[in-house]
């Protein structure tokens, strides 16, 4: 985690409290220092409010640009009414330094905020911790399944007459495209990914027009990728943990017949079975 | 006592309601028509000896507190606090009521709520019941639903990790089912409310040992 405070003494005391609680802490004294400290392992940023080069909301903006799921906690002597208003969507946790044993409270809140993706801008599956462990158990590269999946997604684009077909695994922070025909996508942040919603249901998920669906109409990234319609079927492991989804994408609004969705389910079943068989053959790490 | 030890576990109890106690850290979504018994049910779910925090978006803090007292609750105090984002121009109600300019300002609501939570905690209350009435204006004022997910995840997570109780109302007719379904994901259970000729009825989904069939709520009639 990162702990930011322009005041050396206060920052040092906060870092010590967090380290005593078992956190790995990088100290920062400015907004730009927070930006420099951010890496893929940071999952929480505790920040004071005033810095020489900006304020706490600038820190939140910087953090969320790089790490959309990262928990942000304001730890400041300013009361809520003294804080200027940030962006309406810069939601953070807040612990005032004025409460008794403030650093103990901070540790409690940080422990809660880092236990799971608590500031995620998308719905989380109930069993997210077990689900993530299940996803990690499948190393697709090691399973040598990519070529098989590429063949399947190529078949799907022809079969459904669509622009793009892919197999995506939903990791902790992003969806990872392990096979993709019709586009060169590698990853997509979970808050921008429709599959984030698909993994919540055992039914096929259809978005006939992203512009008409309130969950996705404001997601600019989908427009940038020319994703206007979507059909997806989730893939699970033997225990029922959702690993990701097999999906159809087009740049025009379109609907899917029941027969087409049954076919999509068959493609997804094929992917599930390939993953399972290859893991049983010992290709992938547990 | 609203809070008792049941087989060694601390729970939240609901007096005069046909609901079994729930474990600490539970978040409930209450769905029902805004003008029906939903509002009174939510206020009754907050009754107890714990601290009470209400985020009110549909009615003013003054009206909310008056209604809470009417069902047997206490007025604004160290223990009973309100975050008002209803845009009703209430006079200053003191330190126990915070005002946020708009239900769209999720950042402001979140910070004021956390501030009030920390205040009751600092006064020695380690269990708190949080009511949100309702989530509907927060969704209506935000075109993008993602910040609302972030807000709901942040608040329900604080409640879960602080051993609190969360009760959040939403008008299901004001939103598409697919949005409601995604929002419901952050909650442990759903209490459905309906008004019938014979009075208010509820049923519960997602939690064990609660009424699954429509059950009358005599206290609301």
């Amino acid at each position: 985690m990162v702990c930011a405070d322009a005041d050396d003494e206060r920052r040092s005391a906060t870092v010590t409290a967090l380290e005593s609680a078992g956190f790995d802490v990088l100290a920062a004294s400015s907004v730009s220092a927070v930006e420099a400290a951010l890496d893929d392992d940071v999952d929480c940023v505790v920040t004071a409010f005033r810095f020489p080069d900006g304020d706490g909301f600038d820190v939140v903006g910087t953090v969320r640009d790089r790490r959309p799921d990262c928990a942000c906690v304001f730890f400041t002597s300013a009361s809520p009414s003294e804080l200027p208003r940030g962006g309406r969507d810069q939601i953070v946790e807040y612990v005032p330094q004025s409460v008794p044993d403030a650093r103990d409270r901070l540790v409690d809140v940080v422990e809660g905020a880092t236990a799971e993706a608590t500031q995620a801008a998308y719905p989380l599956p109930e069993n997210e911790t077990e689900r993530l462990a299940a996803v990690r158990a499948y190393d697709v590269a090691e399973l040598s399944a990519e070529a098989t999946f590429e063949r399947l997604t190529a078949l799907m684009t022809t079969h459904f007459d669509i622009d793009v077909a892919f197999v995506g695994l939903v990791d902790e922070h992003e969806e990872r495209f392990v096979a993709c025909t019709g586009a060169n996508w590698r990853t997509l942040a979970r808050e921008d990914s429709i599959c984030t919603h698909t993994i919540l249901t055992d039914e096929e998920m259809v978005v006939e027009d992203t512009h008409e669906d309130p969950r996705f109409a404001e997601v600019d990234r989908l427009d940038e990728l020319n994703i206007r319609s979507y059909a997806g079927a989730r893939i699970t492991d033997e225990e029922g943990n959702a690993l990701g989804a097999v999906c159809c994408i087009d740049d025009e609004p379109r609907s899917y017949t029941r027969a087409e969705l049954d076919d999509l389910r068959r493609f997804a079943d094929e992917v599930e079975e390939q993953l399972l068989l290859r893991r049983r053959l010992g290709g992938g790490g547990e | 006592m609203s809070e008792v030890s049941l087989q060694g576990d601390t729970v939240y109890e609901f007096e005069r309601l046909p609901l079994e106690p729930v474990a600490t850290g539970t978040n409930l979504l209450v769905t029902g028509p805004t003008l029906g018994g939903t509002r009174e049910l939510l206020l009754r779910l907050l009754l107890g000896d714990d601290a009470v925090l209400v985020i009110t978006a549909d009615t003013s803090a003054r009206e909310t507190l008056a209604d809470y007292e009417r069902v047997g609750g206490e007025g604004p105090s160290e223990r009973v606090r309100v975050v008002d984002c209803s845009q009703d121009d209430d006079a200053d109600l003191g330190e126990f009521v915070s005002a946020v300019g708009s239900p769209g300002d999720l950042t402001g609501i979140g910070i004021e709520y956390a501030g009030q939570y920390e205040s009751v905690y600092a006064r020695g209350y380690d269990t708190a019941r949080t009511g949100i009435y309702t989530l509907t204006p927060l969704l209506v004022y935000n075109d993008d639903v993602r910040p609302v997910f972030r807000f709901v995840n942040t608040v329900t997570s604080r409640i879960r990790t602080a051993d609190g109780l969360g009760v959040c109302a939403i008008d299901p007719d004001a939103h598409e089912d697919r949005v409601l379904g995604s929002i419901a994901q952050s909650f442990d259970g759903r209490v459905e409310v309906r008004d019938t000729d014979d009075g208010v009825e509820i049923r519960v989904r997602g939690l064990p040992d609660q009424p699954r069939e429509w059950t009358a709520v005599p206290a609301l009639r």
Side-chain angles (χ1 to χ4, degrees):
Chain A
M1 62 181 300
V2 173
C3 174
D5 195 325
D7 182 289
D8 293 342
E9 202 175 314
R10 265 199 329 250
R11 185 181 62 248
S12 169
T14 308
V15 168
T16 303
L18 292 165
E19 284 180 342
S20 304
F23 292 102
D24 287 330
V25 187
L26 297 164
S29 58
S30 63
V31 178
S32 53
V34 171
E35 188 167 14
L38 283 176
D39 64 33
D40 287 349
D41 292 332
V42 173
D43 54 11
C44 182
V45 173
V46 170
T47 179
F49 197 72
R50 290 182 185 83
F51 295 95
D53 57 346
D55 67 22
F57 287 117
D58 296 320
V59 171
V60 176
T62 301
V63 171
R64 296 252 165 88
D65 276 350
R66 287 270 301 279
R67 304 265 300 154
D69 294 350
C70 186
C72 296
V73 182
F74 278 2
F75 185 56
T76 166
S77 54
S79 71
S81 58
E82 289 168 342
L83 296 171
R85 288 297 177 226
R88 287 150 59 113
D89 56 354
Q90 289 189 306
I91 296 135
V92 295
E93 263 296 0
Y94 163 76
V95 177
Q97 291 188 0
S98 53
V99 298
D101 304 320
R103 287 190 173 81
D104 292 343
R105 275 304 294 155
L106 176 69
V107 167
D108 287 347
V109 169
V110 168
E111 281 175 344
T114 51
E116 44 188 276
T118 53
Q119 291 179 14
Y122 50 84
L124 287 159
E126 271 170 46
N127 63 338
E128 179 68 353
T129 307
E130 296 84 7
R131 192 194 72 77
L132 287 172
V135 174
R136 280 192 287 271
Y138 285 93
D139 185 329
V140 174
E142 218 172 288
L143 291 171
S144 310
E146 282 156 324
T148 307
F149 292 168
E150 294 285 358
R151 279 198 298 276
L152 281 174
T153 53
L155 270 175
M156 285 171 66
T157 53
T158 321
H159 181 80
F160 295 108
D161 187 23
I162 47 172
D163 294 338
V164 179
F166 66 78
V167 176
L169 295 186
V170 180
D171 285 333
E172 186 174 4
H173 301 296
E174 59 192 13
E175 176 167 23
R176 185 160 40 94
F177 301 102
V178 293
C180 184
T181 298
N184 188 25
W185 301 337
R186 313 292 295 175
T187 61
L188 184 60
R190 270 179 83 173
E191 64 181 46
D192 296 336
S193 153
I194 299 176
C195 294
T196 294
H197 295 256
T198 309
I199 61 170
L200 301 175
T201 171
D202 57 7
E203 290 174 16
E204 293 77 39
M205 164 112 169
V206 177
V207 181
E208 295 187 358
D209 183 350
T210 54
H211 290 187
E212 297 298 322
D213 189 313
R215 293 169 297 178
F216 309 115
E218 302 295 322
V219 182
D220 297 337
R221 189 79 185 114
L222 297 178
D223 280 343
E224 289 164 17
L225 297 173
N226 290 320
I227 297 175
R228 188 66 190 270
S229 63
Y230 170 101
R234 79 171 175 184
I235 46 179
T236 58
D237 69 2
E238 280 176 301
E239 285 77 42
N241 292 303
L243 306 171
V246 177
C247 305
C248 304
I249 299 289
D250 205 62
D251 65 356
E252 300 278 343
R254 69 160 283 178
S255 56
Y256 287 84
T257 64
R258 187 62 250 170
E260 285 177 315
L261 294 178
D262 289 343
D263 282 348
L264 175 59
R265 186 64 253 168
R266 290 185 188 101
F267 278 108
D269 288 345
E270 186 62 27
V271 169
E272 274 179 11
E273 199 168 297
Q274 285 285 340
L275 284 172
L276 185 66
L277 289 174
R278 283 161 192 268
R279 207 174 122 192
R280 279 198 189 145
L281 286 170
E286 272 284 307
Chain B
M1 287 290 286
S2 67
E3 205 189 310
V4 296
S5 188
L6 188 75
Q7 294 169 342
D9 296 325
T10 312
V11 296
Y12 288 94
E13 285 194 319
F14 309 108
E15 284 174 31
R16 301 188 60 213
L17 294 175
L19 290 169
E20 295 302 314
V22 300
T24 57
T26 299
N27 285 289
L28 298 173
L29 185 66
V30 180
T31 60
T34 312
L35 296 174
T38 311
R39 180 177 160 76
E40 186 174 338
L41 176 72
L42 179 124
L43 293 172
R44 285 185 178 276
L45 289 167
L46 302 178
L47 292 173
D49 297 331
D50 322 285
V52 175
L53 301 148
V54 185
I55 298 173
T56 178
D58 289 56
T59 53
S60 70
R62 187 183 299 280
E63 204 177 327
T64 301
L65 285 161
D67 289 345
Y68 185 58
E69 286 184 67
R70 201 167 297 129
V71 302
E74 197 179 287
S77 64
E78 295 287 3
R79 188 173 78 81
V80 178
R81 292 160 185 261
V82 179
V83 176
D84 181 355
C85 54
S86 67
Q87 297 182 304
D88 285 327
D89 195 16
D90 263 348
D92 187 4
L93 292 172
E95 65 173 302
F96 307 124
V97 177
S98 318
V100 177
S102 156
D105 181 7
L106 300 172
T107 307
I109 299 169
I111 290 176
E112 292 289 356
Y113 168 71
Q116 294 288 12
Y117 208 119
E118 290 305 320
S119 295
V120 296
Y121 198 87
R123 301 293 189 286
Y125 292 97
D126 52 5
T127 54
R129 300 184 185 217
T130 296
I132 302 180
Y133 193 87
T134 67
L135 208 51
T136 294
L138 277 59
L139 277 161
V140 169
Y141 276 76
N142 283 281
D143 292 335
D144 189 348
V145 71
R146 289 174 295 175
V148 182
F149 285 131
R150 177 168 280 147
F151 173 81
V152 170
N153 281 333
T154 304
V155 170
T156 54
S157 154
R158 176 177 265 262
I159 290 164
R160 188 162 47 250
T161 54
D163 290 335
L165 169 73
V167 190
C168 176
I170 190 167
D171 179 0
D173 294 333
H175 311 285
E176 292 191 28
D177 285 348
R178 48 198 179 184
V179 172
L180 191 64
S182 297
I183 290 284
Q185 196 68 31
S186 298
F187 295 85
D188 304 295
R190 180 163 163 179
V191 182
E192 294 176 82
V193 185
R194 73 173 182 188
D195 278 315
T196 72
D197 291 342
D198 298 326
V200 176
E201 297 180 339
I202 60 172
R203 67 177 179 186
V204 179
R205 294 283 180 267
L207 286 177
D209 308 324
Q210 300 287 356
R212 289 189 55 79
E213 303 302 325
W214 287 110
T215 305
V217 189
L220 296 186
R221 193 63 168 211

